[in-house]
Amino acid sequence: GGEAFFLPAPPRGPLEAMEQALLITARPHLLRRALQDAGGDLPKAADSLGLTLRVLAQRLRDAGVPLEDEGTP
C-alpha cells in the first residue's frame, strides 16, 4: 500500500549528505515492511525488493534489523 511513514529531517548540509542520512534512516523501516509483507519469508522479501537473498541479509545486518530466525524462540 500507500501507507505513510515519517522520517526526521536530516541535518542541513550538502544535498548528497542529506540524501544519505535519509537513506540510512529509512532503510530499516523499508526492510522491516518488506519482511512483514512477506510473512517473515526472507527469500520472498528479497524477491519483492529485487535483491538476492545474500544482499538482503547483508542489508538487514547493516541496518541493524534482526533476521527472523535469530533471537529468542
Side-chain angles (χ1 to χ4, degrees):
E3 69 275 359
F5 68 97
F6 300 93
L7 300 172
R12 286 178 173 81
L15 180 59
E16 285 188 21
M18 291 188 294
E19 289 172 337
Q20 185 64 27
L22 284 173
L23 176 60
I24 290 168
T25 302
R27 183 170 276 165
H29 299 286
L30 298 172
L31 293 171
R32 283 189 190 97
R33 183 175 69 181
L35 278 174
Q36 183 179 17
D37 290 350
D41 183 330
L42 290 174
K44 186 176 177 182
D47 187 56
S48 75
L49 294 169
L51 301 173
T52 65
L53 184 56
R54 181 182 175 128
V55 170
L56 174 58
Q58 184 62 49
R59 297 252 174 109
L60 290 167
R61 282 190 293 275
D62 291 347
V65 177
L67 299 175
E68 288 296 314
D69 60 353
E70 293 180 357
T72 57

